[in-house]
Amino acid sequence: MTTGKPDAAALIALDWGTSSLRAYRMGSDGQTLDARHLPWGIMNLPQPVQDGALSAAPADQDSRFELAFEHACGDWLRAEPHLPVIACGMVGSAQGWREAAYLDVPVDLRQLAGQLTQVPRQGTPLHIVPGLIQRHGLPNVMRGEETQVAGVLDTLGADADDLLIGLPGTHSKWVSVRRGRVTHFDTFMTGEVYAALRGHTILGRTMSDGGADPEAYARGLRVAGAPAGRAGVLSTIFSARTLSLTGALTASAGPDYLSGLLIGHEIATLAEMLRQQGATPTLVLCGDDALCDRYRLALDHYGLGTPAQARHATERGLWHLAHAAGLVRATLTETP
């Protein structure tokens, strides 16, 4: 447990995903004092270098995780070896440093802090936040997003009722929360499908990068919700090619059209699910500002209103969980 002056470092927090590693050195008031963004996700760990060249013998996974950890925060810990370290994300998956538990949904998020998985090290141990698993119907899982949700709730208040938290990204999540309990969540592979279609199909060959095209994006949103959109995303994505072939869509407009089409299908499906449930939750978005802007336009287009946006949710969630677990002791100030 750490204490100290309000401006003293109290925690190192890691958001360790598949493709990247974000490290935060946090003060005793919960504010971020320093941050780093490294390419060492769990599927792209660094290889030891000897005499200026990569080691001839591949290092074992533990060594490579340790090396990535050193890049992220080794100097911070040498300067302040008392600091506890907490991490969320795919570092706790079966392919991660240590496999952390999944907690079953529905679940009170306060349980996360009581079930951290510890990675013993020669120095400061690493504490990994558990993920969530939804077993009813088609199974669904998350790692990392549960910490973002905890950060959103810490911002809005744990008693916030009937929230639907949108987490746009590679695998977009829509998380239903009632008074601190995650009751259900859905996953849409929108971001990954977009990247795959652009990079590995004939659709991408007709596209070029020409800057943002808001009208093309809006057109994609409209098509997804039009009668033609009822044929489903597997049918409508071909229009990214045919509109180009007929001269109705320029190559530079293609990427934004495809983005609008895929996000449009996601939000159209979400709107229909909410209609069937008769639900009118308070919407909150959390994620990259530019991507949240795209989702905000889509939500408005499909009549779901203008959501609030929560910022710094991952850092805030990691701090909140470390505090709840007794790794740090402090009073969190409001994040502007």
Side-chain angles (χ1 to χ4, degrees):
M1 182 180 294
T2 65
T3 59
K5 298 177 182 179
D7 59 350
L11 178 71
I12 293 173
L14 306 177
D15 177 10
W16 203 334
T18 302
S19 59
S20 67
L21 167 57
R22 296 179 186 271
Y24 305 96
R25 178 174 166 268
M26 306 187 77
S28 58
D29 57 357
Q31 300 298 306
T32 298
L33 304 176
D34 199 0
R36 292 169 177 167
H37 184 196
L38 303 166
W40 308 128
I42 69 160
M43 301 304 289
N44 185 41
L45 294 170
Q47 185 72 13
V49 174
Q50 295 178 351
D51 300 323
L54 289 178
S55 173
D60 63 78
Q61 283 294 93
D62 268 6
S63 297
R64 295 179 71 186
F65 274 108
E66 190 68 54
L67 184 55
F69 184 90
E70 166 63 26
H71 282 303
C73 58
D75 58 332
W76 292 344
L77 284 172
R78 282 189 291 277
E80 300 174 281
H82 63 283
L83 296 180
V85 187
I86 190 171
C88 68
M90 291 297 285
V91 68
S93 70
Q95 296 76 38
W97 202 345
R98 289 290 186 281
E99 188 169 6
Y102 279 120
L103 303 187
D104 283 272
V105 170
V107 63
D108 190 321
L109 286 179
R110 288 175 294 187
Q111 295 180 35
L112 292 172
Q115 298 197 43
L116 304 182
T117 294
Q118 187 175 116
V119 181
R121 302 176 56 256
Q122 284 190 335
T124 305
L126 173 68
H127 300 84
I128 302 178
V129 178
L132 300 185
I133 186 167
Q134 184 171 270
R135 300 183 191 273
H136 55 275
L138 291 175
N140 213 337
V141 296
M142 66 169 71
R143 284 200 186 276
E145 294 92 350
E146 75 294 318
T147 302
Q148 289 180 289
V149 173
V152 171
L153 294 183
D154 193 57
T155 300
L156 299 179
D159 292 333
D161 194 20
D162 201 13
L163 298 177
L164 182 60
I165 301 173
L167 305 164
T170 303
H171 298 163
S172 296
K173 306 283 186 184
W174 291 92
V175 186
S176 298
V177 181
R178 294 185 66 89
R179 295 192 176 276
R181 289 177 61 82
V182 171
T183 58
H184 180 85
F185 64 94
D186 294 289
T187 301
F188 295 82
M189 291 181 62
T190 307
E192 186 167 2
V193 169
Y194 173 81
L197 290 173
R198 278 215 63 189
H200 301 285
T201 74
I202 197 169
L203 300 182
R205 295 187 183 184
T206 65
M207 298 178 186
S208 65
D209 293 316
D213 192 324
E215 178 49 39
Y217 177 76
R219 184 176 190 172
L221 292 180
R222 293 193 299 270
V223 170
R230 295 172 190 162
V233 66
L234 292 180
S235 174
T236 55
I237 56 174
F238 194 58
S239 64
R241 175 165 172 77
T242 56
L243 288 171
S244 176
L245 289 173
T246 58
L249 194 69
T250 65
S252 62
D256 275 317
Y257 173 76
L258 181 62
S259 173
L261 197 60
L262 293 175
I263 293 175
H265 276 289
E266 176 183 336
I267 301 304
T269 299
L270 181 70
E272 178 60 20
M273 290 165 59
L274 293 175
R275 187 193 66 79
Q276 291 179 3
Q277 297 164 8
T280 55
T282 299
L283 297 179
V284 181
L285 286 177
C286 175
D288 173 79
D289 285 348
L291 189 55
C292 284
D293 285 343
R294 287 178 177 265
Y295 273 77
R296 188 177 293 106
L297 290 171
L299 289 165
D300 182 65
H301 177 79
Y302 285 95
L304 295 179
T306 301
Q309 185 170 348
R311 291 181 169 86
H312 310 293
T314 301
E315 304 100 294
R316 189 158 186 138
L318 285 164
W319 174 267
H320 172 78
L321 294 174
H323 187 196
L327 299 179
V328 295
R329 184 174 61 216
T331 300
L332 183 64
T333 60
E334 291 298 316
T335 301

